[in-house]
Amino acid sequence: MLSNPQSKYRPAPAVHLPDRRWPSRSLTHAPIWLSTDLRDGNQALFEPMNQARKLRLFDQLVAVGLREIELGFPAASQIDFDVVRHLVERDLIPPQVMPMVMTPARAELVERTVASLRGARRATIHLYNATAPAWRRLVFGLSVAEVMALVREHVELIRRLTDAQPETEWVLQYSPETFCMTELEVSLDACATAIEAWAAGPGRPMVINLPTTVEVATPNVFADQIEWMDRHLPQREHLVLSVHPHNDRGTGVACAELALLAGAQRVEGCLFGNGERSGNVDLVTLALNLYSQGIHPGLDFSDIAAVARVVEDCTALPIHPRHPYVGDLVFTAFSGSHQDAIKKGLAAQADDAPWEVPYLPIDPKDLGRSYDSVIRVNSQSGKGGIAYLLQREHGLVMPRRMQVEFSAVVQRHADASEAEVSAAQLWALFTQTYLAPQADGLALAYRQHRVTAADGGWAIEIDLLAGGVAQRRRGAGPSVLHAALAALAPGARLDSHGAPAGPGWALVELAAPGVAGTRFGAARHADADTAGVLAVLSAAARLGAFDAQCASLT
């Protein structure tokens, strides 16, 4: 390895655009979307899709609202050719959907590509050729003039072939394939040549598509390139200016967003960012970025998980669990501070108010997802997340001091297991800690109690089992709860009680002489008095204030 390997690489040249306007603009509306999942995405798979999978994915693309879809590369693949013919011959392309097929600048491939669309209601022919210096010199051995002649020859061929099929409404799309690495003047010359050869204008629509075929510069450089082209393209008012960002530097989404600010009107990409090398730009992320800014993207991702499953099945590629908006963990917080903020934000969020929940840039319900996985627990979690899960799953509202107490129990378990604590495991820990009291190693089980009025207060008799042996405990006090305390934990004092704990729940906090701190007890029962008695029993056992052997047998 070279001691300074960076010396092999040259930075992308800056664009001279001192009066650039894109930095001061804001996105205000959605672009035209084109899905290239069936073409660019397909050619990047370990095993390209068969006809059945391509047709299933086509239906999904239509269902989410995509109105321009690249069907494939019919001149390079018999499956792609057959898919196009299947869709055309059976009239399976909805009238609102514009199909597109791709061809390189080779006469025999152009002819087969146009033939694949015979009888279509309307269609876009996508012609491309590489224009960058390395490709001109190393791959094709062509001069700039020869590249321009190639473009003109093949656009004119497409024009003749499509003019011979007037029953179809034709659109030409031209891509200088390696635009982001091509001198701007050469890219402009190639596009202008295609525009002139097609005679773009009223009644002859055309798309100029400018790709980051291999992403080699920061997004601002691409934005400058797009704005420069937007200013210089001839017949600009008759063109749709499109971009096709790749993600080699991990900034495909940023490139697309800045390109829209710079004058682009259309974006090509794949759902969830599939594509060669690091992928194409992710249309879902782009669309939902707009949505989170109050701009409707014109696409329907209200059941994002269902869309993801179809794409995974068709491509045989898994979606990363932290993928923006759709990953299984993307709305999940393990961090204690994050969980506490989310819990408070959800509690304060009104249905008709602007969305303002910390750490959640978008409401999961808008994507057809629930709040079930928003907060999950591991060794990094805190009391807020634990309390949220117990309230959501079991209706228990824990006071703050109890949250602190129980979170220590969960923390010890999580550290020991070195794994996530599921909601079921969390409940098992809570049950073991609070709802299954033991004293002196003996399980305590409530059987019944009786309450009578006595001296301005209440007397109580409590029947229970200690290690399977029947006991009867007696006590009196100003309330049923204090009477139960006198019966079950003489000498202990009630530190707190009566806080709202959720339907059917009772919580108490006990302290005892000689015992550091306090202990909570919890119980759930349809009868409030019974729930209180059980909560005192729970706290007394946890405090060590219950003597399993001291009561008389019944």
Side-chain angles (χ1 to χ4, degrees), residues 31 266 310 354 444:
R266 178 175 177 267
V310 171
L444 303 178

Side-chain angles (χ1 to χ4, degrees), residues 38 42 45 47-58 71 77-80 82-83 313-316:
L38 300 177
N42 184 56
L45 301 177
E47 295 182 2
M49 289 178 275
N50 59 22
Q51 180 168 319
R53 288 157 62 198
K54 290 199 79 168
L55 292 173
R56 184 186 179 202
L57 186 50
F58 173 81
L71 302 182
S77 163
Q78 187 62 46
I79 289 177
D80 281 16
D82 292 343
V83 165
D313 289 347
C314 290
T315 62

